Amino acid sequence: MAYTYLITGATSDVGTTLIPRLLEGAPADTLVLAQGCGDLEKLAPLVQKYPGQVRPFDVDLSDRLKVDAFVRLLEQSASAPTHFVHLPALPVVNTRFKNFDEDRFAKDLQIQLNSAIAICRVFVPKMAKVGFGRVLFIQTSYTIGCPPKNTAAYVIAKSAIGGLVKSMAVEYAPRHVTVNCVAPSMMETHFLKDTPDLIVQAAAADNPMGRNATPADVVPAMAFLLSEEAGFITGVTLPITGGSAIV
């Protein structure tokens, strides 16, 4: 079976680390449909390295109409995805609950949850029809145990992702479509651009391994959950935390 990976948030540090992991040594007909938003230049080296295998799309997932148009375009112009990896989110903003920004939260929920639902509603049934599929989300260790203070909006959105994963996992397991999450601890990427350095440094100091996670720590686990070998693993949230969150 020729694999087609649909990766939303593909321009993120995790996305640009995952794509070569998936394509290195893969058959020539393996295709990555890579969504970004105003930052497709980050995919240019991968487009050049894997000619014809990385197809970029510039789509604003915060706009429901544009999400729907994106889904229609994929239906018309590309092979149905065998794999769907959903990575996008607004950067964490550390703020007290009394200052909860409802407009920003609504935008983040559209990006993280609603866009994923819209895409899954179309393509996961297609995976089920052929009897194979992999769906993978990125959650956070903040949803495991006691979350840090001042992260309510982020934790709420990620918790909703967890509910979506469990629900789809149960429904589609009989059709050999797996739905899982990875849940990294604080990961040092540009996603932390709005997080004070003191918080980043404190998280590293508190981690049993003495550092924060990196995309290179997370991507191997993602690649495994996307593989054929992981066919009996579904509904799982896998902590990748260096021991800072254990289930």
Side-chain angles (χ1 to χ4, degrees), residues 166-179:
K166 291 177 182 179
S167 299
M168 287 200 301
V170 170
E171 184 168 347
Y172 287 100
R175 305 305 299 272
H176 307 289
V177 177
T178 67
V179 188

Side-chain angles (χ1 to χ4, degrees), residues 10-11 16 36-48 56-58:
T11 52
T16 56
C37 182
D39 55 357
L40 293 188
E41 69 278 358
K42 295 178 181 177
L43 295 174
L46 295 172
V47 172
Q48 185 175 13
F57 295 85
D58 194 342

Side-chain angles (χ1 to χ4, degrees), residues 16 24 47 51 58 61-62 112 215:
T16 56
E24 201 64 44
V47 172
D58 194 342
L61 297 182
S62 71
Q112 291 204 54

Side-chain angles (χ1 to χ4, degrees), residues 8-21:
T8 45
T11 52
S12 65
D13 293 333
V14 172
T16 56
T17 305
L18 177 62
I19 290 171
R21 175 75 182 226

Side-chain angles (χ1 to χ4, degrees), residues 181-204:
C181 281
V182 292
S185 56
M186 183 175 285
M187 186 164 35
E188 295 197 2
T189 68
H190 79 278
F191 186 74
L192 297 179
K193 63 185 179 68
D194 296 325
T195 301
D197 286 342
L198 284 176
I199 293 177
V200 176
Q201 293 167 13

